[in-house]
Amino acid sequence: VPAAPPAPLGCDDPESEAVAEVAVSYINGHSHHGYKFALNRIENILVLPQGPNNDIIFLELDLLETTCHILSPLPLGNCTVRSFTAHAVEGDCDVKLQKLDGKLSVLASKCHSHADSSEDVLQLCPDCPLLASLNNTDVLTAVTAALNDHNSKTADAYLRLLEIGRANIQYNPVHLVYVEFAVAATNCSAEAAKDNVEACQLLPDDQSNFGFCTATMVIRPSQDLKVNCQLYGHQVPAPDVLFFSRVVWVRSSQDTS
Amino acid sequence: SVAKRAVAKVAQHDKVPRPVGSVPPPPPCPGRIRHFKI
């Protein structure tokens, strides 16, 4: 009597979690924009045996955006998942993997990320700030003002904008804009940039130094601006991170394959 | 000839009672939620 087929893998089985970990690491390692995502739920797993020690595995994952930008060197385990009231962003991913002689490799992945609905957030938190479009005028004004403010005060390298990561706008009780954006150091000091900013270019890849800024610009009742920029220090960039250093990006909900 | 006997529908309370305290195994998927569901 042929051996009974193995029981289907459960989504919470240790083996499924190990497969999901490989998939999430691949997704974060091959993402060019935005933030790192953490596993929230394994929606489904399907294992198709292809032969001895050779399985094709289809995985459906539910991920949540973390507060770590994709360029951050922080390990995913140290990245905080964006809270529900901070207007969370969910990622739905379908991943195809192969397990050959016990070794897992990703063959393909397709993800779609989208913010939680405003109604959901406001239902739980009526005064919570909501995500704003990244090309909203107030958002662009806040990012420009924040970067200029940082560059006018720093004694370090002049920073250029890489991409706007996210922005929230709150209208009550104070009208304010909160922005997060990725930056890169240039080959100029901030002082030298005052004379000839056109000459300030992003550092070559073997010296690249990326960073991340957050800023809050109060519009009413009074004008105020707080900026905090942190450079990550030089890291050996993964080949596809180079993609970043040439283009400034404005991001909305996102599909990646 | 074999005639299928009409078997009275088992009344709900006649079903074989599940041993007290036994919980049906959770469905294999979807898995547990680690943070929150949106």
Side-chain angles (χ1 to χ4, degrees):
Chain A
V1 175
L9 266 183
C11 281
D12 288 332
D13 288 358
E15 184 174 351
S16 305
E17 305 224 353
V19 177
E21 188 175 341
V22 169
V24 171
S25 175
Y26 176 91
I27 289 164
N28 285 323
H30 290 74
S31 174
H32 297 310
H33 305 294
Y35 296 83
K36 293 183 182 186
F37 277 80
L39 178 65
N40 187 37
R41 184 184 220 183
I42 300 175
E43 293 284 349
N44 199 8
I45 183 166
L46 176 65
V47 180
L48 299 180
Q50 305 296 303
N53 297 317
N54 180 5
D55 292 330
I56 292 294
I57 302 171
F58 290 95
L59 209 46
E60 284 177 46
L61 300 177
D62 178 8
L63 309 181
L64 284 174
E65 182 181 274
T66 70
T67 55
C68 287
H69 190 264
I70 203 72
L71 289 171
S72 166
L74 263 185
L76 182 62
N78 296 27
C79 296
T80 307
V81 166
R82 191 90 59 183
S83 69
F84 182 92
T85 53
H87 208 155
V89 174
E90 182 183 51
D92 297 318
C93 293
D94 293 324
V95 188
K96 179 180 179 183
L97 304 96
Q98 181 175 33
K99 187 172 184 181
L100 190 58
D101 300 330
K103 189 174 179 321
L104 280 165
S105 56
V106 174
L107 301 180
S109 73
K110 179 166 175 52
C111 292
H112 172 77
S113 64
H114 55 96
D116 190 8
S117 73
S118 304
E119 295 76 16
D120 276 2
V121 179
L122 294 177
Q123 190 173 12
L124 193 77
C125 174
D127 287 337
C128 277
L130 297 177
L131 274 181
S133 163
L134 297 185
N135 44 24
N136 171 294
T137 310
D138 285 344
V139 169
L140 296 174
T141 303
V143 169
T144 305
L147 194 49
N148 289 342
D149 181 76
H150 172 86
N151 282 326
S152 68
K153 293 174 179 169
T154 184
D156 297 331
Y158 177 79
L159 301 183
R160 278 196 184 282
L161 175 68
L162 277 183
E163 71 159 7
I164 302 172
R166 86 175 351 229
N168 295 72
I169 299 182
Q170 175 183 308
Y171 294 96
N172 296 303
V174 176
H175 183 186
L176 63 81
V177 184
Y178 170 77
V179 291
E180 296 182 357
F181 51 97
V183 292
T186 64
N187 57 355
C188 296
S189 68
E191 190 58 33
K194 288 173 184 166
D195 302 331
N196 178 11
V197 71
E198 298 316 317
C200 301
Q201 299 303 319
L202 295 184
L203 294 172
D205 301 332
D206 61 343
Q207 303 162 42
S208 59
N209 189 355
F210 298 122
F212 190 66
C213 300
T214 60
T216 302
M217 182 174 80
V218 179
I219 298 173
R220 264 193 307 279
S222 59
Q223 302 271 327
D224 186 28
L225 179 64
K226 285 189 180 54
V227 187
N228 177 30
C229 290
Q230 300 292 329
L231 284 178
Y232 298 133
H234 177 60
Q235 311 148 55
V236 178
D240 47 10
V241 165
L242 308 186
F243 194 61
F244 248 105
S245 47
R246 301 292 176 267
V247 185
V248 172
W249 291 87
V250 178
R251 203 169 54 83
S252 59
S253 78
Q254 185 175 334
D255 284 306
T256 52
S257 295
Chain B
S1 67
V2 176
K4 183 172 184 247
R5 284 179 300 114
V7 177
K9 183 171 169 26
V10 176
Q12 198 59 28
H13 60 275
D14 288 356
K15 273 192 173 176
V16 175
R18 192 184 297 282
V20 174
S22 77
V23 177
C29 289
R32 62 190 174 86
I33 293 174
R34 290 156 177 79
H35 301 285
F36 51 83
K37 188 69 183 144
I38 64 172

